[in-house]
């Protein structure tokens, strides 16, 4: 009886891979705004970026790169959630210093970090991982370590969303408008 439970525990705690369903979560950012992953992906891809510690060299480089490329992320209707096990006060200062236009999520208890299995051994600090999550919470891309510092791969992995309604100039499927013949040129 115990062995199946251990196997289920190991499988459910594995780092999500491309094609997997990302663990859902509802969290609050440093300003108190709530975010639920399953709702966010309805609006566009979500880049879930886990970073170890605010104000450190690699993390500053990573989040500055996301800030500098944020317009590219918006073009693909992407959203960024930057997770750290730092407390809200530290992340508020870090976000302000970086002038970052995206949400910083404090996870001091490591609940989301643990759900994604990106917690460092022994200490409650996340490893550097980035997940691009698309419709139905499907993982589209995973970057880790130094690869997660550069947002290019994450941005490229964000799918362009199809418009929900046909443009007025487009005919509905199956109804082809008549083609107007051009007058012959002399």
């Amino acid at each position: 009886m115990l062995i199946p439970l251990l196997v289920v525990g190991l499988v459910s705690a594995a780092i999500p891979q491309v094609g997997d369903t990302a663990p859902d979560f509802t969290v609050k950012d440093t300003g108190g705004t709530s975010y639920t992953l399953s709702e966010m992906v309805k609006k566009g891809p979500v880049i879930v970026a886990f970073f170890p510690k605010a104000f450190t060299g690699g993390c500053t480089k990573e989040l500055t790169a996301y800030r500098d490329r944020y317009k590219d992320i918006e073009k693909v209707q992407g959203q960024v959630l930057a997770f750290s096990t730092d407390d809200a006060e530290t992340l508020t200062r870090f976000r302000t210093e970086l002038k970052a236009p995206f949400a910083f999520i404090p996870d001091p208890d490591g609940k989301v970090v643990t759900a994604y299995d990106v917690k460092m051994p022994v200490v409650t600090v996340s490893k550097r991982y980035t997940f691009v999550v698309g419709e139905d919470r499907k993982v589209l891309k995973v970057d880790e370590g130094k690869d997660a510092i550069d947002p290019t791969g994450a941005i490229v992995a964000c799918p362009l969303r199809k418009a929900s309604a046909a443009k007025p100039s487009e005919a509905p499927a199956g109804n082809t408008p008549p083609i107007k013949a051009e007058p012959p040129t002399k």
Side-chain angles (χ1 to χ4, degrees):
M1 188 71 166
L2 183 59
I3 292 175
L5 289 174
L6 289 174
V7 171
V8 169
L10 290 174
V11 172
S12 66
I15 296 170
Q17 298 300 310
V18 172
D20 291 349
T21 301
D24 200 9
F25 55 75
T26 297
V27 294
K28 287 189 178 184
D29 70 4
T30 54
T33 301
S34 286
Y35 297 89
T36 299
L37 183 61
S38 55
E39 292 301 315
M40 291 179 73
V41 296
K42 293 175 183 176
K43 298 175 187 153
V46 179
I47 299 170
V48 179
F50 292 97
F51 66 96
K53 281 294 201 190
F55 299 104
T56 59
C59 297
T60 299
K61 184 176 179 180
E62 174 185 4
L63 295 164
T64 298
Y66 273 98
R67 177 203 64 204
D68 294 348
R69 299 285 309 274
Y70 197 69
K71 290 214 182 300
D72 295 331
I73 296 166
E74 287 181 317
K75 286 178 188 172
V76 294
Q77 297 175 336
Q79 306 156 84
V80 176
L81 295 178
F83 278 86
S84 170
T85 56
D86 290 307
D87 61 45
E89 181 182 327
T90 301
L91 288 182
T92 299
R93 287 191 337 263
F94 190 44
R95 180 176 184 249
T96 300
E97 183 175 296
L98 295 178
K99 296 180 175 87
F102 48 86
F104 279 55
I105 311 296
D107 188 19
D109 297 329
K111 290 178 182 167
V112 178
V113 167
T114 300
Y116 279 73
D117 197 27
V118 296
K119 183 182 155 306
M120 288 187 189
V122 185
V123 295
T124 304
V125 173
S126 74
K127 298 174 189 173
R128 186 180 322 281
Y129 265 87
T130 300
F131 299 89
V132 178
V133 183
E135 290 183 85
D136 299 321
R137 296 189 350 252
K138 291 297 177 203
V139 177
L140 305 173
K141 174 122 176 95
V142 180
D143 284 324
E144 64 178 297
K146 64 179 176 53
D147 293 337
I149 291 176
D150 182 356
T152 302
I155 295 167
V156 169
C158 289
L160 290 173
R161 310 255 322 162
K162 293 175 177 59
S164 58
K167 294 177 188 167
S169 62
E170 293 178 326
N175 295 331
T176 308
I179 298 172
K180 293 181 183 176
E182 294 284 327
T185 54
K186 296 183 182 177

